[in-house]
Amino acid sequence: MFYTHITDFESISIEIYQKEWLNHSEIARKLWRNPSTITREVERYKSKITWKYSSKIAIKQRKEKRYKVNKQNRQRIKNDEFLIKYILSKIKKYWSPEQISWRLKLEENIIISKDTIYKFIYENYPELIKKYFRRKWKKYQKDRKSKYQLMDRKMIDERPSIVDKREIIWHWEWDTVIWVRWWNKEVILTNVERKSWYLLASKIKDKSSNSVLEETIKIFSKIPKYKQKTMTYDNWREFSEHRMIEYFTKFDVYFAHPYHSRERWTNENTNWLLRQFLPKKTDFQKLSKNQLKYFVSLINSRPRKRLNYKTPYEIFFN
């Protein structure tokens, strides 16, 4: 477990859990934190009126502290001629602030974050940005159209309208699930049939398009061909081999619109059910295939209100 600062989301969660009369140990288990961390957080940010923990006060005071620390760090650069000369000389060699930050730590044992260096440059030497920085004032794109552009996509608008009626067990939605931090490349593929809500899930070594292709072929080799008609994907690069998937599985592959998860809500809802067994920060390296298979079987054998309290297993196979 990594002991980072309490996030704003966690602050709000702590306040809600306290209103539900959970003690610090119970809150800590829900947030994957140490009980002492929760205790310190609660004692530090109490309202002077109610004497109870307030997430608004916690979030506000943390922001103020961060601002003061950042301001002190920028002042530290301004008051140190060596740092100014070092930073400016490296920027003129087209080094990024991140590279400068790490080299300062390696060479001089001086710890200054890349964000502090960025802010120092923005405030004092803005003319260097366009000349030496690669992005030259450009902001990172929030939409990933250009970054994750997939070729030859058939959008969901072209999908037959009968798919929306959920009358036939033919139509599937697919997604990749990543619930652990960046160092673990392993992901889980989840595939849900729209009428029966029957779940197929498997773990793969990474989310490359080749891994997704191989696992898709392997999974659907065990499913009757008449139950394989359409597949609806998200717009991530791991699905870039969709043409090969169509060729080997005979699916008609369609893509939901970017940032329209509601168009694949069957899959999104089922992923949420899987969270009960694999919460966030779960290390998939420790998850065996048999464990995942067991979790999937529990979900598929659970009665659903939307299925008149039949199970996905009963609907899919009957």
mmCIF file of all heavy atoms in Angstrom, residues 271-299:
data_model
loop_
_atom_site.group_PDB
_atom_site.id
_atom_site.type_symbol
_atom_site.label_atom_id
_atom_site.label_comp_id
_atom_site.label_asym_id
_atom_site.label_seq_id
_atom_site.Cartn_x
_atom_site.Cartn_y
_atom_site.Cartn_z
ATOM 1 N N ASN A 271 -19.366 -4.329 -14.746
ATOM 2 C CA ASN A 271 -18.043 -4.026 -14.176
ATOM 3 C C ASN A 271 -18.173 -3.542 -12.738
ATOM 4 O O ASN A 271 -17.345 -3.866 -11.877
ATOM 5 C CB ASN A 271 -17.341 -2.947 -15.004
ATOM 6 C CG ASN A 271 -16.856 -3.478 -16.341
ATOM 7 O OD1 ASN A 271 -16.850 -4.681 -16.576
ATOM 8 N ND2 ASN A 271 -16.455 -2.584 -17.220
ATOM 9 N N TRP A 272 -19.225 -2.782 -12.476
ATOM 10 C CA TRP A 272 -19.463 -2.289 -11.120
ATOM 11 C C TRP A 272 -19.764 -3.449 -10.174
ATOM 12 O O TRP A 272 -19.338 -3.448 -9.018
ATOM 13 C CB TRP A 272 -20.623 -1.295 -11.153
ATOM 14 C CG TRP A 272 -20.974 -0.732 -9.825
ATOM 15 C CD1 TRP A 272 -20.315 0.239 -9.118
ATOM 16 C CD2 TRP A 272 -22.086 -1.108 -9.007
ATOM 17 N NE1 TRP A 272 -20.947 0.494 -7.927
ATOM 18 C CE2 TRP A 272 -22.040 -0.323 -7.829
ATOM 19 C CE3 TRP A 272 -23.115 -2.018 -9.162
ATOM 20 C CZ2 TRP A 272 -22.982 -0.431 -6.826
ATOM 21 C CZ3 TRP A 272 -24.057 -2.127 -8.151
ATOM 22 C CH2 TRP A 272 -23.980 -1.342 -7.007
ATOM 23 N N LEU A 273 -20.475 -4.478 -10.659
ATOM 24 C CA LEU A 273 -20.733 -5.660 -9.833
ATOM 25 C C LEU A 273 -19.436 -6.401 -9.526
ATOM 26 O O LEU A 273 -19.253 -6.933 -8.426
ATOM 27 C CB LEU A 273 -21.701 -6.610 -10.556
ATOM 28 C CG LEU A 273 -23.117 -6.092 -10.810
ATOM 29 C CD1 LEU A 273 -23.925 -7.145 -11.557
ATOM 30 C CD2 LEU A 273 -23.812 -5.726 -9.510
ATOM 31 N N LEU A 274 -18.530 -6.427 -10.481
ATOM 32 C CA LEU A 274 -17.250 -7.108 -10.292
ATOM 33 C C LEU A 274 -16.389 -6.388 -9.254
ATOM 34 O O LEU A 274 -15.526 -6.986 -8.618
ATOM 35 C CB LEU A 274 -16.515 -7.203 -11.631
ATOM 36 C CG LEU A 274 -15.368 -8.203 -11.750
ATOM 37 C CD1 LEU A 274 -15.809 -9.615 -11.383
ATOM 38 C CD2 LEU A 274 -14.785 -8.169 -13.155
ATOM 39 N N ARG A 275 -16.630 -5.092 -9.083
ATOM 40 C CA ARG A 275 -15.876 -4.308 -8.094
ATOM 41 C C ARG A 275 -16.066 -4.842 -6.673
ATOM 42 O O ARG A 275 -15.213 -4.655 -5.815
ATOM 43 C CB ARG A 275 -16.357 -2.860 -8.106
ATOM 44 C CG ARG A 275 -15.680 -1.970 -9.116
ATOM 45 C CD ARG A 275 -16.273 -0.584 -8.957
ATOM 46 N NE ARG A 275 -15.782 0.328 -9.968
ATOM 47 C CZ ARG A 275 -14.875 1.257 -9.755
ATOM 48 N NH1 ARG A 275 -14.329 1.368 -8.564
ATOM 49 N NH2 ARG A 275 -14.503 2.068 -10.706
ATOM 50 N N GLN A 276 -17.212 -5.475 -6.424
ATOM 51 C CA GLN A 276 -17.470 -6.012 -5.090
ATOM 52 C C GLN A 276 -16.382 -7.010 -4.688
ATOM 53 O O GLN A 276 -16.011 -7.095 -3.530
ATOM 54 C CB GLN A 276 -18.838 -6.708 -5.083
ATOM 55 C CG GLN A 276 -19.215 -7.302 -3.732
ATOM 56 C CD GLN A 276 -20.575 -7.953 -3.761
ATOM 57 O OE1 GLN A 276 -21.286 -7.901 -4.762
ATOM 58 N NE2 GLN A 276 -20.955 -8.566 -2.661
ATOM 59 N N PHE A 277 -15.866 -7.751 -5.667
ATOM 60 C CA PHE A 277 -14.850 -8.766 -5.401
ATOM 61 C C PHE A 277 -13.437 -8.249 -5.688
ATOM 62 O O PHE A 277 -12.467 -8.726 -5.105
ATOM 63 C CB PHE A 277 -15.114 -10.002 -6.265
ATOM 64 C CG PHE A 277 -16.523 -10.518 -6.161
ATOM 65 C CD1 PHE A 277 -17.419 -10.344 -7.198
ATOM 66 C CD2 PHE A 277 -16.953 -11.140 -5.009
ATOM 67 C CE1 PHE A 277 -18.713 -10.804 -7.097
ATOM 68 C CE2 PHE A 277 -18.258 -11.608 -4.894
ATOM 69 C CZ PHE A 277 -19.133 -11.435 -5.945
ATOM 70 N N LEU A 278 -13.333 -7.270 -6.590
ATOM 71 C CA LEU A 278 -12.025 -6.727 -6.971
ATOM 72 C C LEU A 278 -12.069 -5.210 -6.836
ATOM 73 O O LEU A 278 -12.161 -4.496 -7.835
ATOM 74 C CB LEU A 278 -11.682 -7.119 -8.414
ATOM 75 C CG LEU A 278 -11.613 -8.616 -8.701
ATOM 76 C CD1 LEU A 278 -11.476 -8.865 -10.189
ATOM 77 C CD2 LEU A 278 -10.449 -9.246 -7.956
ATOM 78 N N PRO A 279 -12.012 -4.690 -5.614
ATOM 79 C CA PRO A 279 -12.100 -3.233 -5.433
ATOM 80 C C PRO A 279 -10.885 -2.519 -6.015
ATOM 81 O O PRO A 279 -9.911 -3.148 -6.420
ATOM 82 C CB PRO A 279 -12.155 -3.080 -3.908
ATOM 83 C CG PRO A 279 -11.523 -4.319 -3.380
ATOM 84 C CD PRO A 279 -11.834 -5.407 -4.351
ATOM 85 N N LYS A 280 -10.960 -1.204 -6.045
ATOM 86 C CA LYS A 280 -9.839 -0.414 -6.548
ATOM 87 C C LYS A 280 -8.579 -0.713 -5.748
ATOM 88 O O LYS A 280 -8.640 -1.003 -4.563
ATOM 89 C CB LYS A 280 -10.168 1.076 -6.478
ATOM 90 C CG LYS A 280 -11.185 1.506 -7.529
ATOM 91 C CD LYS A 280 -11.357 2.999 -7.523
ATOM 92 C CE LYS A 280 -12.313 3.427 -8.633
ATOM 93 N NZ LYS A 280 -12.489 4.883 -8.663
ATOM 94 N N LYS A 281 -7.448 -0.613 -6.430
ATOM 95 C CA LYS A 281 -6.121 -0.882 -5.876
ATOM 96 C C LYS A 281 -5.857 -2.386 -5.708
ATOM 97 O O LYS A 281 -4.882 -2.773 -5.075
ATOM 98 C CB LYS A 281 -5.889 -0.151 -4.550
ATOM 99 C CG LYS A 281 -6.027 1.363 -4.656
ATOM 100 C CD LYS A 281 -5.728 2.025 -3.333
ATOM 101 C CE LYS A 281 -5.955 3.539 -3.426
ATOM 102 N NZ LYS A 281 -5.711 4.205 -2.138
ATOM 103 N N THR A 282 -6.734 -3.223 -6.257
ATOM 104 C CA THR A 282 -6.473 -4.659 -6.239
ATOM 105 C C THR A 282 -5.289 -4.960 -7.147
ATOM 106 O O THR A 282 -5.221 -4.470 -8.270
ATOM 107 C CB THR A 282 -7.707 -5.438 -6.733
ATOM 108 O OG1 THR A 282 -8.789 -5.187 -5.848
ATOM 109 C CG2 THR A 282 -7.426 -6.937 -6.770
ATOM 110 N N ASP A 283 -4.363 -5.769 -6.665
ATOM 111 C CA ASP A 283 -3.207 -6.169 -7.453
ATOM 112 C C ASP A 283 -3.575 -7.402 -8.268
ATOM 113 O O ASP A 283 -3.721 -8.497 -7.733
ATOM 114 C CB ASP A 283 -2.025 -6.478 -6.525
ATOM 115 C CG ASP A 283 -0.732 -6.683 -7.301
ATOM 116 O OD1 ASP A 283 -0.805 -6.829 -8.538
ATOM 117 O OD2 ASP A 283 0.341 -6.692 -6.675
ATOM 118 N N PHE A 284 -3.723 -7.233 -9.577
ATOM 119 C CA PHE A 284 -4.147 -8.337 -10.435
ATOM 120 C C PHE A 284 -3.082 -9.427 -10.544
ATOM 121 O O PHE A 284 -3.376 -10.533 -10.981
ATOM 122 C CB PHE A 284 -4.502 -7.825 -11.825
ATOM 123 C CG PHE A 284 -5.790 -7.039 -11.859
ATOM 124 C CD1 PHE A 284 -6.113 -6.273 -12.962
ATOM 125 C CD2 PHE A 284 -6.663 -7.070 -10.786
ATOM 126 C CE1 PHE A 284 -7.290 -5.556 -12.999
ATOM 127 C CE2 PHE A 284 -7.844 -6.357 -10.806
ATOM 128 C CZ PHE A 284 -8.158 -5.593 -11.917
ATOM 129 N N GLN A 285 -1.845 -9.117 -10.199
ATOM 130 C CA GLN A 285 -0.811 -10.142 -10.233
ATOM 131 C C GLN A 285 -1.093 -11.241 -9.206
ATOM 132 O O GLN A 285 -0.680 -12.389 -9.381
ATOM 133 C CB GLN A 285 0.565 -9.522 -9.977
ATOM 134 C CG GLN A 285 1.067 -8.695 -11.147
ATOM 135 C CD GLN A 285 2.437 -8.103 -10.876
ATOM 136 O OE1 GLN A 285 2.796 -7.827 -9.730
ATOM 137 N NE2 GLN A 285 3.208 -7.894 -11.921
ATOM 138 N N LYS A 286 -1.783 -10.874 -8.144
ATOM 139 C CA LYS A 286 -2.104 -11.845 -7.098
ATOM 140 C C LYS A 286 -3.428 -12.551 -7.363
ATOM 141 O O LYS A 286 -3.832 -13.420 -6.590
ATOM 142 C CB LYS A 286 -2.160 -11.135 -5.741
ATOM 143 C CG LYS A 286 -0.835 -10.507 -5.324
ATOM 144 C CD LYS A 286 -0.982 -9.760 -4.014
ATOM 145 C CE LYS A 286 0.334 -9.100 -3.616
ATOM 146 N NZ LYS A 286 0.199 -8.308 -2.370
ATOM 147 N N LEU A 287 -4.104 -12.160 -8.422
ATOM 148 C CA LEU A 287 -5.394 -12.753 -8.762
ATOM 149 C C LEU A 287 -5.188 -13.948 -9.685
ATOM 150 O O LEU A 287 -4.668 -13.807 -10.791
ATOM 151 C CB LEU A 287 -6.284 -11.707 -9.439
ATOM 152 C CG LEU A 287 -7.642 -12.188 -9.936
ATOM 153 C CD1 LEU A 287 -8.555 -12.522 -8.752
ATOM 154 C CD2 LEU A 287 -8.282 -11.126 -10.833
ATOM 155 N N SER A 288 -5.596 -15.121 -9.244
ATOM 156 C CA SER A 288 -5.450 -16.319 -10.073
ATOM 157 C C SER A 288 -6.641 -16.450 -11.027
ATOM 158 O O SER A 288 -7.703 -15.847 -10.810
ATOM 159 C CB SER A 288 -5.351 -17.562 -9.196
ATOM 160 O OG SER A 288 -6.590 -17.819 -8.553
ATOM 161 N N LYS A 289 -6.481 -17.261 -12.049
ATOM 162 C CA LYS A 289 -7.563 -17.487 -13.010
ATOM 163 C C LYS A 289 -8.754 -18.160 -12.336
ATOM 164 O O LYS A 289 -9.908 -17.864 -12.659
ATOM 165 C CB LYS A 289 -7.052 -18.337 -14.172
ATOM 166 C CG LYS A 289 -6.082 -17.612 -15.082
ATOM 167 C CD LYS A 289 -5.696 -18.458 -16.270
ATOM 168 C CE LYS A 289 -4.751 -17.694 -17.193
ATOM 169 N NZ LYS A 289 -4.368 -18.505 -18.374
ATOM 170 N N ASN A 290 -8.480 -19.064 -11.407
ATOM 171 C CA ASN A 290 -9.562 -19.756 -10.707
ATOM 172 C C ASN A 290 -10.362 -18.796 -9.825
ATOM 173 O O ASN A 290 -11.586 -18.915 -9.715
ATOM 174 C CB ASN A 290 -9.001 -20.895 -9.858
ATOM 175 C CG ASN A 290 -8.561 -22.076 -10.702
ATOM 176 O OD1 ASN A 290 -9.065 -22.269 -11.810
ATOM 177 N ND2 ASN A 290 -7.636 -22.863 -10.199
ATOM 178 N N GLN A 291 -9.665 -17.846 -9.199
ATOM 179 C CA GLN A 291 -10.362 -16.851 -8.382
ATOM 180 C C GLN A 291 -11.296 -16.003 -9.236
ATOM 181 O O GLN A 291 -12.447 -15.771 -8.883
ATOM 182 C CB GLN A 291 -9.351 -15.952 -7.670
ATOM 183 C CG GLN A 291 -8.679 -16.591 -6.467
ATOM 184 C CD GLN A 291 -7.650 -15.664 -5.848
ATOM 185 O OE1 GLN A 291 -6.821 -15.077 -6.544
ATOM 186 N NE2 GLN A 291 -7.695 -15.530 -4.529
ATOM 187 N N LEU A 292 -10.764 -15.528 -10.361
ATOM 188 C CA LEU A 292 -11.582 -14.715 -11.259
ATOM 189 C C LEU A 292 -12.772 -15.522 -11.779
ATOM 190 O O LEU A 292 -13.901 -15.018 -11.848
ATOM 191 C CB LEU A 292 -10.726 -14.210 -12.428
ATOM 192 C CG LEU A 292 -11.456 -13.353 -13.462
ATOM 193 C CD1 LEU A 292 -12.054 -12.106 -12.820
ATOM 194 C CD2 LEU A 292 -10.503 -12.955 -14.594
ATOM 195 N N LYS A 293 -12.521 -16.759 -12.125
ATOM 196 C CA LYS A 293 -13.594 -17.638 -12.611
ATOM 197 C C LYS A 293 -14.681 -17.799 -11.556
ATOM 198 O O LYS A 293 -15.877 -17.812 -11.856
ATOM 199 C CB LYS A 293 -12.998 -18.998 -12.983
ATOM 200 C CG LYS A 293 -13.961 -19.928 -13.691
ATOM 201 C CD LYS A 293 -13.259 -21.207 -14.107
ATOM 202 C CE LYS A 293 -14.210 -22.157 -14.812
ATOM 203 N NZ LYS A 293 -13.523 -23.425 -15.209
ATOM 204 N N TYR A 294 -14.259 -17.912 -10.292
ATOM 205 C CA TYR A 294 -15.216 -18.064 -9.188
ATOM 206 C C TYR A 294 -16.063 -16.798 -9.024
ATOM 207 O O TYR A 294 -17.285 -16.874 -8.867
ATOM 208 C CB TYR A 294 -14.454 -18.368 -7.896
ATOM 209 C CG TYR A 294 -15.308 -18.401 -6.662
ATOM 210 C CD1 TYR A 294 -16.288 -19.377 -6.491
ATOM 211 C CD2 TYR A 294 -15.136 -17.442 -5.664
ATOM 212 C CE1 TYR A 294 -17.078 -19.398 -5.343
ATOM 213 C CE2 TYR A 294 -15.919 -17.461 -4.520
ATOM 214 C CZ TYR A 294 -16.895 -18.439 -4.364
ATOM 215 O OH TYR A 294 -17.672 -18.458 -3.244
ATOM 216 N N PHE A 295 -15.426 -15.623 -9.080
ATOM 217 C CA PHE A 295 -16.148 -14.359 -8.961
ATOM 218 C C PHE A 295 -17.176 -14.203 -10.091
ATOM 219 O O PHE A 295 -18.309 -13.771 -9.861
ATOM 220 C CB PHE A 295 -15.179 -13.178 -8.975
ATOM 221 C CG PHE A 295 -14.208 -13.161 -7.826
ATOM 222 C CD1 PHE A 295 -12.932 -12.621 -7.971
ATOM 223 C CD2 PHE A 295 -14.561 -13.699 -6.601
ATOM 224 C CE1 PHE A 295 -12.039 -12.610 -6.914
ATOM 225 C CE2 PHE A 295 -13.677 -13.691 -5.528
ATOM 226 C CZ PHE A 295 -12.406 -13.157 -5.692
ATOM 227 N N VAL A 296 -16.762 -14.565 -11.300
ATOM 228 C CA VAL A 296 -17.656 -14.468 -12.456
ATOM 229 C C VAL A 296 -18.847 -15.411 -12.289
ATOM 230 O O VAL A 296 -19.992 -15.054 -12.601
ATOM 231 C CB VAL A 296 -16.887 -14.774 -13.761
ATOM 232 C CG1 VAL A 296 -17.854 -14.903 -14.939
ATOM 233 C CG2 VAL A 296 -15.860 -13.692 -14.039
ATOM 234 N N SER A 297 -18.588 -16.621 -11.783
ATOM 235 C CA SER A 297 -19.680 -17.587 -11.589
ATOM 236 C C SER A 297 -20.684 -17.085 -10.553
ATOM 237 O O SER A 297 -21.893 -17.320 -10.676
ATOM 238 C CB SER A 297 -19.117 -18.945 -11.171
ATOM 239 O OG SER A 297 -18.561 -18.892 -9.871
ATOM 240 N N LEU A 298 -20.188 -16.390 -9.511
ATOM 241 C CA LEU A 298 -21.095 -15.817 -8.511
ATOM 242 C C LEU A 298 -22.012 -14.771 -9.136
ATOM 243 O O LEU A 298 -23.207 -14.703 -8.828
ATOM 244 C CB LEU A 298 -20.286 -15.189 -7.372
ATOM 245 C CG LEU A 298 -19.536 -16.143 -6.432
ATOM 246 C CD1 LEU A 298 -18.710 -15.343 -5.429
ATOM 247 C CD2 LEU A 298 -20.503 -17.059 -5.706
ATOM 248 N N ILE A 299 -21.456 -13.935 -9.997
ATOM 249 C CA ILE A 299 -22.251 -12.889 -10.654
ATOM 250 C C ILE A 299 -23.265 -13.507 -11.615
ATOM 251 O O ILE A 299 -24.429 -13.103 -11.666
ATOM 252 C CB ILE A 299 -21.323 -11.902 -11.398
ATOM 253 C CG1 ILE A 299 -20.493 -11.111 -10.386
ATOM 254 C CG2 ILE A 299 -22.128 -10.949 -12.275
ATOM 255 C CD1 ILE A 299 -19.425 -10.253 -11.001
#
